[in-house]
Amino acid sequence: MPRRFRRKRVLILFFLFIFIIYVINQRLENSIDDNNELPDKNNIIYQRLKKPIDVENKVESSFFDSSKHTKIDWHDYNAIARDNARTGLGEGGTGVEPSQQERNSPQFQKLYRENGFHAFISDNISLDRSAKDIRHPDCKNKLYLAELPSVSIIIPVHDEHLTTLLRSVHSILNRTPEKLLKEILLVDDASSKDSLKSPLDTQVANLSKTRVVRLKKREGLIRARLAGAREAKADILIFFDSHIEVNINWLPPLIEPIALNYKTSVCPFIDIIKWETFAYIAQDEGARGAFDWGMFYKRLPLLPSSQGNASEPFDNPVMAGGLFAISQKWFWELGGYDEGLDVWGGEQYEMSFKIWQCGGRLVDAPCSRVGHIYRQFNPHGGFSFGDYLSRNHKRVAVVWMDEYAEYIYKRNPQIKNVNAGDVTKQKALREKLQCKSFKWFMEKVAFDLPEYYPPIPLPPFAQGEIRSMAASLCIDTKHGGEQATFGLEQCIKDQPDKNGEQEFELSWRQDIRVKNRDFCFDVPNREKRAPVILYKCHNMRGNQHFVYDVSNFHILHVATHLCLGCDVDSKMIFMEECDAERKTQKWKFASYNQTLILKEMNKFF
Ligand SMILES: *[C@@H]1O[C@H](CO)[C@@H](O)[C@H](O)[C@H]1NC(C)=O
Ligand SMILES: *[C@@H]1O[C@H](CO)[C@@H](O)[C@H](O)[C@H]1NC(C)=O
Ligand SMILES: *[C@@H]1O[C@H](CO)[C@@H](O)[C@H](O)[C@H]1NC(C)=O
Ligand SMILES: *[C@@H]1O[C@H](CO)[C@@H](O)[C@H](O)[C@H]1NC(C)=O
């Protein structure tokens, strides 16, 4: 290229550069005024963390202003002391047992039917009750950026019980740094309960930073969240359910990853507020989110890199959906939620897939914990959107899942046959953002998902009755529920009119399942003669991991290296030291695939 052309181009580039710097600087300056306008969706205040580039002073080289990059202890020790001084029912996240008389009262029963949890108990507990700090000890010493962006908390409400809703808000107001909380938006999705009309307004009028946004007609959770997001003024959106309680210092760990990179979206650890007693308990110490090919939300074990890093955020393929934080900027760049999704269900997949595939990141923050009431049943029926769940899943599958959608259709033809409606807008977004393929997502992010949830179901290792070789007795779970113990009974095969439950499956997941029920053999501890109980199958091996040693006919529990034994007289079963000589440790499955067992299970013997 001739020299003078090159020089000309350099000049043009130079002026272009100056112009861009100028524009960026203007935008940063605008964003610094924390005015009450809706933010320009492209112009967000967490940019403040990055030092505005100074046009006059071109020596600035570092991207971060290190003085604003210092970390501090965000704990509110006054609030913690106040909490510790509280006494009363349910304080410290303890449960409250109703008396028999209360339980039998019509009011108690009515509140249960209307809510799917014991709302009567909720009414007995202070709205300001203190939390139980169940965070990992490492969280107590963690420091976070001194300067963090502000948050708008969006809570869709549909016929929520008044005190559980208000306790959600109170817990946020009591445990959130004042300067980070911009607002709490309660989006009333056409509730019918009178308590959510003027009584709610009266209560909210007395609460700082909280307001109610009322939708004219029922839109469902997804569009209610969108309506809230449109109203929100802060840099970061936090979506919550309407029956939660936040735990100590929950916010800084949740938003720091977003301050560092606006395309990171963060989920808290979700604890359980028991629907029966309102006891606040841990669900577990973390897992990664996933799905199976029937589109049910599932979980994957933590990766080895999380070991010894208990307070560090870790990558999460799929969010559970109810509780998460995302920057306004990234949320709207991703087009918010697909507005064609009705009510709820599938939106957590849409959001997770597009966050990852379009260049973002989804993490779980272990030090941010939020309790959530899992209802016993959903009391809000009578919704007029037809088979919206299949339609939602279809929309997600056709827009984001590429060839992997076939596995979904094979598992669930209802999804295949339903009409997804118009998805051109979603497909255009995927095109515009140059989002990656679902294959990329499966190989890089959810790489271990097929191992736990194979697209094509695999055959079991063994199935049918499990017969003791020490006596003609079979294991019988007697239709027991969670945590039920069980033992031996006459085999149904020998005595066909007998009642019982003796059909099992040593599944490809290497757990022993009750046939047609989602319950597994589970060894809760390793004490002498440790019991075996029934527990919901968690699909993550661990204390439900069993293998069949076909040479000794042992049923071996991998984690404890104990064998299943029994006492023929008392008909009890239990775990004990393996002993190849002992007949009471020998078991015969009705049928089993020896080749498959030797191939996959030999390494555990
Ligand atoms: C719960 O509240 C009811 C009515 O407000 C009251 O009569 C009852 O004593 C309370 N229960 C407990 C366990 O305190
Ligand atoms: C409003 O708040 C004040 C102080 O927190 C309290 O004394 C008052 O009872 C509240 N009013 C209502 C209607 O809840
Ligand atoms: C903890 O995390 C860090 C950074 O993510 C990583 O380098 C380290 O290997 C992890 N620790 C372990 C024990 O894997
Ligand atoms: C047993 O498993 C092997 C290996 O997966 C398979 O090839 C074979 O067909 C199975 N046998 C039966 C009887 O299912």
Side-chain angles (χ1 to χ4, degrees):
M1 201 188 307
R3 216 186 156 84
R4 62 171 197 282
F5 279 130
R6 230 193 287 166
R7 208 178 285 147
K8 202 166 160 190
R9 226 166 63 168
V10 166
L11 261 176
I12 289 172
L13 281 174
F14 176 72
F15 281 116
L16 200 65
F17 179 66
I18 295 291
F19 177 68
I20 289 169
I21 298 277
Y22 174 74
V23 168
I24 289 175
N25 194 47
Q26 284 303 102
R27 299 199 137 203
L28 288 171
E29 243 151 48
N30 290 343
S31 67
I32 288 167
D33 308 322
D34 224 349
N35 55 25
N36 276 341
E37 295 300 316
L38 273 174
D40 171 358
K41 304 287 188 229
N42 297 313
N43 176 11
I44 294 300
I45 298 152
Y46 40 74
Q47 298 276 7
R48 268 188 289 175
L49 290 167
K50 299 169 183 173
K51 177 153 176 141
I53 299 161
D54 186 344
V55 182
E56 257 104 50
N57 174 9
K58 295 200 189 69
V59 287
E60 175 61 47
S61 61
S62 97
F63 206 39
F64 272 107
D65 175 348
S66 55
S67 70
K68 289 192 173 165
H69 203 197
T70 50
K71 299 214 172 191
I72 60 167
D73 181 356
W74 277 92
H75 284 92
D76 180 346
Y77 291 104
N78 289 331
I80 292 171
R82 261 200 320 273
D83 262 10
N84 287 342
R86 293 181 64 87
T87 55
L89 280 180
E91 292 295 338
T94 53
V96 177
E97 289 287 347
S99 67
Q100 198 53 47
Q101 197 190 350
E102 284 175 332
R103 194 187 284 276
N104 291 337
S105 72
Q107 178 66 359
F108 189 97
Q109 295 299 332
K110 176 170 173 282
L111 285 172
Y112 173 57
R113 276 195 311 276
E114 285 174 4
N115 296 288
F117 53 76
H118 286 163
F120 184 95
I121 299 294
S122 175
D123 293 350
N124 269 154
I125 296 174
S126 166
L127 298 179
D128 293 305
R129 80 150 162 183
S130 50
K132 173 157 42 184
D133 187 356
I134 57 173
R135 296 172 301 161
H136 190 277
D138 291 356
C139 296
K140 295 175 188 171
N141 309 318
K142 286 280 291 185
L143 307 180
Y144 298 97
L145 287 176
E147 182 147 335
L148 286 168
S150 65
V151 303
S152 292
I153 298 175
I154 297 161
I155 304 181
V157 180
H158 180 73
D159 281 345
E160 183 58 61
H161 187 63
L162 185 61
T163 56
T164 42
L165 173 60
L166 289 173
R167 190 173 299 106
S168 306
V169 177
H170 279 237
S171 84
I172 294 167
L173 292 172
N174 289 336
R175 286 192 270 283
T176 306
E178 164 90 32
K179 72 169 190 173
L180 299 184
L181 180 62
K182 184 95 179 169
E183 61 193 343
I184 302 172
L185 297 170
L186 306 180
V187 185
D188 175 28
D189 186 14
S191 293
S192 60
K193 285 184 180 172
D194 288 334
S195 57
L196 295 175
K197 292 172 181 159
S198 67
L200 176 64
D201 290 333
T202 312
Q203 294 278 347
V204 165
N206 209 18
L207 295 173
S208 63
K209 301 189 179 186
T210 309
R211 66 196 164 97
V212 183
V213 178
R214 295 198 190 271
L215 304 184
K216 290 196 185 65
K217 65 174 179 48
R218 181 91 193 266
E219 295 287 357
L221 175 97
I222 298 164
R223 287 194 292 269
R225 280 189 186 159
L226 276 170
R230 287 196 194 96
E231 287 276 329
K233 297 190 175 77
D235 320 324
I236 291 183
L237 307 173
I238 294 179
F239 296 101
F240 273 168
D241 282 351
S242 52
H243 33 262
I244 56 109
E245 289 171 55
V246 298
N247 210 314
I248 290 167
N249 207 36
W250 69 284
L251 186 62
L254 191 71
I255 60 176
E256 189 189 71
I258 305 176
L260 295 170
N261 179 347
Y262 84 95
K263 289 188 179 178
T264 298
S265 175
V266 192
C267 298
F269 267 26
I270 306 176
D271 294 321
I272 295 171
I273 301 168
K274 295 190 80 172
W275 66 266
E276 302 98 318
T277 62
F278 281 65
Y280 189 111
I281 60 170
Q283 179 157 214
D284 54 33
E285 284 313 305
R288 292 146 62 239
F291 59 89
D292 71 8
W293 303 90
M295 290 301 251
F296 291 101
Y297 175 76
K298 297 285 172 189
R299 305 178 95 207
L300 294 168
L302 296 178
L303 296 174
S305 58
S306 296
Q307 299 261 306
N309 276 333
S311 61
E312 290 300 319
F314 54 83
D315 286 350
N316 182 17
V318 174
M319 64 171 74
L323 322 175
F324 73 103
I326 187 169
S327 68
Q328 281 251 22
K329 183 173 160 69
W330 186 223
F331 184 74
W332 293 115
E333 278 178 21
L334 291 172
Y337 284 109
D338 168 7
E339 286 196 74
L341 299 175
D342 282 324
V343 195
W344 69 272
E347 87 287 353
Q348 77 278 41
Y349 301 136
E350 195 225 3
M351 193 50 70
S352 308
F353 296 162
K354 66 185 182 186
I355 285 171
W356 279 112
Q357 285 171 255
C358 305
R361 180 173 220 102
L362 181 61
V363 300
D364 262 25
C367 293
S368 178
R369 302 189 76 134
V370 179
H372 173 260
I373 303 171
Y374 291 88
R375 293 178 205 276
Q376 177 71 346
F377 59 87
N378 179 4
H380 308 311
F383 209 53
S384 59
F385 284 98
D387 184 9
Y388 59 85
L389 195 57
S390 295
R391 199 164 57 237
N392 288 357
H393 288 154
K394 179 72 172 275
R395 289 182 77 84
V396 175
V398 296
V399 177
W400 298 102
M401 296 180 78
D402 305 333
E403 70 275 19
Y404 287 76
E406 284 305 320
Y407 298 124
I408 304 284
Y409 302 154
K410 206 163 275 166
R411 192 71 62 94
N412 195 340
Q414 222 170 317
I415 298 180
K416 184 187 174 94
N417 296 331
V418 79
N419 179 359
D422 183 4
V423 293
T424 42
K425 211 172 132 193
Q426 280 62 45
K427 289 196 159 166
L429 177 92
R430 184 171 164 177
E431 186 61 35
K432 180 180 143 214
L433 297 180
Q434 298 279 298
C435 306
K436 296 191 185 81
S437 66
F438 200 72
K439 186 162 187 285
W440 173 89
F441 173 81
M442 288 302 296
E443 287 175 357
K444 300 290 183 206
V445 182
F447 54 88
D448 55 345
L449 186 148
E451 190 187 319
Y452 293 89
Y453 307 101
I456 295 162
L458 299 172
F461 289 95
Q463 55 190 323
E465 64 171 29
I466 306 174
R467 189 182 284 251
S468 166
M469 289 166 77
S472 258
L473 295 172
C474 287
I475 295 179
D476 194 323
T477 41
K478 294 184 174 168
H479 309 281
E482 191 130 292
Q483 306 204 25
T485 54
F486 50 92
L488 299 174
E489 289 293 331
Q490 291 276 290
C491 298
I492 293 176
K493 267 207 193 122
D494 302 342
Q495 207 180 348
D497 58 340
K498 190 184 152 43
N499 270 323
E501 186 172 51
Q502 300 185 0
E503 291 285 318
F504 304 100
E505 220 180 72
L506 176 57
S507 83
W508 59 265
R509 287 199 171 90
Q510 309 193 354
D511 47 24
I512 301 177
R513 303 178 163 238
V514 180
K515 189 141 191 200
N516 299 326
R517 287 209 295 149
D518 194 23
F519 279 103
C520 280
F521 288 18
D522 185 299
V523 179
N525 61 51
R526 54 170 72 227
E527 70 195 24
K528 208 166 171 223
R529 289 199 157 202
V532 185
I533 60 170
L534 286 182
Y535 212 88
K536 275 282 244 201
C537 301
H538 56 50
N539 309 319
M540 294 197 281
R541 294 190 175 176
N543 60 349
Q544 296 181 351
H545 189 187
F546 288 91
V547 293
Y548 190 36
D549 173 356
V550 279
S551 53
N552 288 311
F553 297 105
H554 277 167
I555 293 179
L556 177 75
H557 186 251
V558 176
T560 56
H561 241 270
L562 297 175
C563 280
L564 183 68
C566 66
D567 183 287
V568 173
D569 295 329
S570 66
K571 296 187 175 171
M572 278 171 59
I573 63 166
F574 39 76
M575 305 309 301
E576 58 182 359
E577 292 296 327
C578 296
D579 179 350
E581 302 302 315
R582 236 187 234 175
K583 245 187 155 177
T584 53
Q585 288 186 6
K586 294 183 186 292
W587 303 93
K588 196 108 188 208
F589 275 93
S591 72
Y592 54 92
N593 184 334
Q594 185 152 350
T595 326
L596 192 60
I597 287 170
L598 290 176
K599 181 162 157 255
E600 300 291 334
M601 293 183 158
N602 232 1
K603 58 177 175 256
F604 297 110
F605 302 151

